Amino acid sequence: MNEKGILFIISGPSGSGKGTVVEKLIKNKEYAVSISATTRAPRPYEEEGKHYFFKSKEDFEKMIENNMLLEHACFCGNFYGTPKKYVDEQLENGVNIILEIEVQGALQVKKLYPQSVLVFLAPPTLNELRKRLEGRGTEGCEIIDGRIERAREELKYIEEYDYLIINDFVENAVSKIMNIAMAEKLKVFRNQNLVKKIEGEI
Ligand code: ADP
Ligand code: 5GP
C-alpha cells in the first residue's frame, strides 16, 4: 500500500508572493495544487478551472450545504473554499498536495488533518507588501488598504504555523520550501512501509 501524500498549506498576506512561488513549485511534478472555489471576480489573466472555480454566492453556498468544501472562509468581502474530493483523492493516491489558502481556512484544515505541514510565506516588510500589491496592479487603492489591514491580522497567527519563510527572492523561497518538503518526506511516521520493509515484513 502507498504511503499517503503530504498536505502542504501555504498561507501569507495577499501579495506576499504565494501564487508566484507555488507556480514554480508545481513545475516539479511531485506536487498537485488544489484549485479553490471563490466568489471573487476573475482578474484579467485568470482562467476558470486553472486559477479558481469562479462561483456565484448562491452556488458557493450550495457547495457548503452539500459538504463539498474541506474548508472555507471570507476574505475581504469574498468567499473562498477548498473542494474536498480532489484533495482526498490526491492524498489517497500518495500525491503531495499544496493548498494556497488564508489563515482561517488553514486552521480548519490543521484540525481535520493534524499531519499537514503549515508554511507561512511573509513579505520582508509591510511596505514591501504594499509595493508588490501596487506593482501587481490587480486591485485599486482601497482594496489594497483592506488587504494590508488583513495582513496585520494574519501576522498574529504565525505561531500556529510550522515554518516561516520570508519571500525576499522567489528562488530562495522556492528552494527553502523544497528543503522543508524533503525533510517532511523523511519523517519516520510518514515512512511506515519502509520500516516494515527493513524488518522484512513486505
Ligand atoms: P499572492 O499570491 O501572495 O497574492 P503574488 O504571487 O501574486 O502574491 O505576488 C504579488 C506580486 O509580487 C506579483 O506582482 C509578483 O510578481 C511579485 N513578487 C512575488 N514574489 C516576489 C519577490 N520575491 N520579490 C519581488 N516581487 C515579488
Ligand atoms: P486572492 O483574491 O488574492 O486570489 O486571494 C485572497 C486570499 O484568499 C489569499 O490569502 C489566498 O491564499 C486565499 N485563498 C485562496 N483560495 C482559498 C481557499 O480555498 N480557502 C481559503 N480559506 N483561502 C483561500
Side-chain angles (χ1 to χ4, degrees), residues 10-16 18-19 34-38 40-41 43 45-46 51-52 54 60 69 71-76 78-83 99-106 108-109 133 136 138-139 147 150 154:
I10 302 189
S11 301
S14 173
S16 63
K18 300 180 298 297
S34 160
I35 313 292
S36 298
T38 183
R40 167 167 80 57
R43 294 172 183 148
Y45 59 88
E46 286 179 329
H51 296 93
Y52 280 107
F54 295 98
F60 193 92
L69 298 177
E71 60 71 36
H72 65 276
C74 184
F75 182 94
C76 295
N78 295 302
F79 291 97
Y80 297 80
T82 305
L99 308 188
E100 191 221 301
I101 62 178
E102 55 69 63
V103 167
Q104 298 306 322
Q108 293 172 45
V109 178
L133 284 169
R136 191 170 68 186
T138 49
E139 282 86 18
R147 287 184 176 230
R150 178 77 178 217
E154 292 196 312

Side-chain angles (χ1 to χ4, degrees), residues 17-151:
K18 300 180 298 297
T20 309
V21 165
V22 168
E23 201 178 306
K24 300 234 181 248
L25 276 175
I26 58 171
K27 293 219 163 97
N28 178 336
K29 300 283 181 240
E30 270 187 56
Y31 306 94
V33 69
S34 160
I35 313 292
S36 298
T38 183
T39 60
R40 167 167 80 57
R43 294 172 183 148
Y45 59 88
E46 286 179 329
E47 292 171 35
E48 167 71 18
K50 182 177 173 201
H51 296 93
Y52 280 107
F53 297 109
F54 295 98
K55 301 283 176 196
S56 65
K57 198 155 173 255
E58 292 70 37
D59 285 349
F60 193 92
E61 279 164 356
K62 271 187 208 140
M63 291 181 86
I64 300 174
E65 276 165 30
N66 295 332
N67 199 23
M68 290 166 75
L69 298 177
L70 186 60
E71 60 71 36
H72 65 276
C74 184
F75 182 94
C76 295
N78 295 302
F79 291 97
Y80 297 80
T82 305
K84 189 168 157 42
K85 188 163 172 265
Y86 180 73
V87 172
D88 285 342
E89 278 171 4
Q90 298 302 313
L91 292 177
E92 212 43 55
N93 290 334
V95 178
N96 302 322
I97 186 148
I98 300 174
L99 308 188
E100 191 221 301
I101 62 178
E102 55 69 63
V103 167
Q104 298 306 322
L107 298 184
Q108 293 172 45
V109 178
K110 187 179 172 181
K111 270 201 189 137
L112 292 169
Y113 297 87
Q115 294 176 351
S116 49
V117 181
L118 277 72
V119 176
F120 195 97
L121 187 72
T125 64
L126 287 181
N127 278 343
E128 172 65 16
L129 183 69
R130 181 177 288 280
K131 278 191 205 146
R132 287 185 190 174
L133 284 169
E134 288 170 352
R136 191 170 68 186
T138 49
E139 282 86 18
C141 239
E142 248 177 59
I143 294 184
I144 290 181
D145 284 348
R147 287 184 176 230
I148 301 280
E149 266 325 294
R150 178 77 178 217

Side-chain angles (χ1 to χ4, degrees), residues 140-186:
C141 239
E142 248 177 59
I143 294 184
I144 290 181
D145 284 348
R147 287 184 176 230
I148 301 280
E149 266 325 294
R150 178 77 178 217
R152 288 185 200 282
E153 286 302 309
E154 292 196 312
L155 289 171
K156 295 181 187 157
Y157 290 88
I158 282 190
E159 302 290 334
E160 301 283 344
Y161 283 72
D162 300 307
Y163 298 97
L164 169 62
I165 292 182
I166 307 295
N167 179 19
D168 46 5
F169 297 101
V170 176
E171 295 308 331
N172 281 352
V174 170
S175 93
K176 283 177 185 165
I177 295 177
M178 287 171 74
N179 287 339
I180 289 169
M182 172 60 85
E184 287 291 334
K185 273 183 235 162
L186 296 176

